[in-house]
Structure formats: structure tokens, C-alpha cells
Amino acid sequence: MKTFQDKVFALVSRIPRGRVSTYKAIADKIGVKAYRAVGQVLKKNPYDSVPCHRVVCSDGSLGGYHGIASSKKKMILLKKEDIKIKNNKVEDFEKRIFIHY
DNA sequence: GCTTTGACTCTCG
DNA sequence: TCGAGAGCCAAAG
């Protein structure tokens, strides 16, 4: 844990299965307001091992981990993780969001 | 070393 | 309720 992105990956990796998190939560936990930087780093995904599909927008929508929330495969993947997508948004998002303690 | 970009978020009309 | 604009920060060019 040293650079900004390392923190991001560390936090994202800590998201357990069946839970989701938001860019804001991650950035806030890190201590910065670089919400956009979080998404940007995730998109590059150098480690290629972070569950980026578990990171969504603050309002529960997929946001655009794949350009835009149009990749239904990701939705299915989330569904398999017990995360259901309703109307392009995470069902019970506020209850499923994972807070990094 | 400055400028541009981006998978965001908030506020206002 | 929805769309547009502004603000924020870090990484890449």
C-alpha cells in the first residue's frame, strides 16, 4: 500500500462476494475525493484481478465498468454473486453496499 | 512540467 | 423526474 491505485485495489479486493461498493466509498476511505481517479484506475486494471464488477455508482447503478451498464453478462455475473440487478441498478443497494472498516 | 482525460458525484433548473 | 453543468483528484500523454 503506497500509491493511490494500490489502495484502491486493496480496498476493492476486500469486497466480499455478494457485496458491492462505490467509487465514492473507496475514495473516501482512502481519504481523497478522487472518485474519478478510482474508476480510471479500475478501468486500466493493471492487476487484472480485482472484482471491478462489484464497484458501482453511488446511486446503485452499474455506472460504466464496461463503457456503460449495457453488458448483461456482467449483470448475470453479479447475479451469480447474489447481487440482483433491477432496472439497471443494484437491488437493495444500500443494504448490500460494503463499507470498508 | 503542464495539459488532457476519465468506469464519478453533487447541485441546480 | 431528468438533463446539464461544475467540481474534484490522479494518472497518462
Side-chain angles (χ1 to χ4, degrees), chain A residues 3 9-10 13 17 28 31 34-35 42 45-46 58 61-62 65 68 74 100:
Chain A
T3 65
F9 291 126
S13 305
R17 190 188 77 83
D28 185 60
Y35 319 123
L42 244 54
N45 199 4
S58 61
S61 62
L62 281 319
Y65 52 71
I68 190 69
K74 299 290 184 184
H100 302 79

Side-chain angles (χ1 to χ4, degrees), chain A residues 30-53:
Chain A
I30 292 175
V32 302
K33 292 117 192 162
Y35 319 123
R36 319 192 85 224
V38 175
Q40 198 169 136
V41 167
L42 244 54
K43 152 178 136 184
K44 304 196 181 221
N45 199 4
Y47 296 98
D48 196 46
S49 303
V50 293
C52 38
H53 57 271

